[in-house]
Amino acid sequence: MTSPAAAPDPAALLAALGAVWSPDFDAYASGQLDASQVRCVLCGHAPCDCPPFGTSEYFALTDRLHGRTRGGGA
Ligand SMILES: [Zn+2]
C-alpha cells in the first residue's frame, strides 16, 4: 500500500493552489504528451523546476500566477 503523502501528485498540488492548468494539460490529457513533458504551470518548465515549497521564491511564483505581482514587471 502507498501513502497518499508519499509522492505528491502534481494535479493535487495544482488543485490546492487554485487549479490553473498548464497550457500543455490538454495535450497531456489527450495522450500527446507524457506527464514529464507537461510544463509546470508555476515555473513553466518541464519537468517542474520550482523552488522548494514555502520559500519566498516559491511564493513569488504563485503570486505571479495569480496576478498579484507588484510593479507590473516580467
Ligand atoms: Zn514548477
Side-chain angles (χ1 to χ4, degrees), residues 24-39:
D24 291 334
F25 183 75
D26 285 345
Y28 166 60
S30 63
Q32 297 174 47
L33 283 177
D34 183 79
S36 67
Q37 296 177 292
V38 177
R39 286 172 290 177

Side-chain angles (χ1 to χ4, degrees), residues 39-45 47-51 58 61:
R39 286 172 290 177
C40 174
V41 71
L42 284 181
C43 64
H45 297 165
C48 174
D49 191 32
C50 282
Y58 180 90
L61 280 174

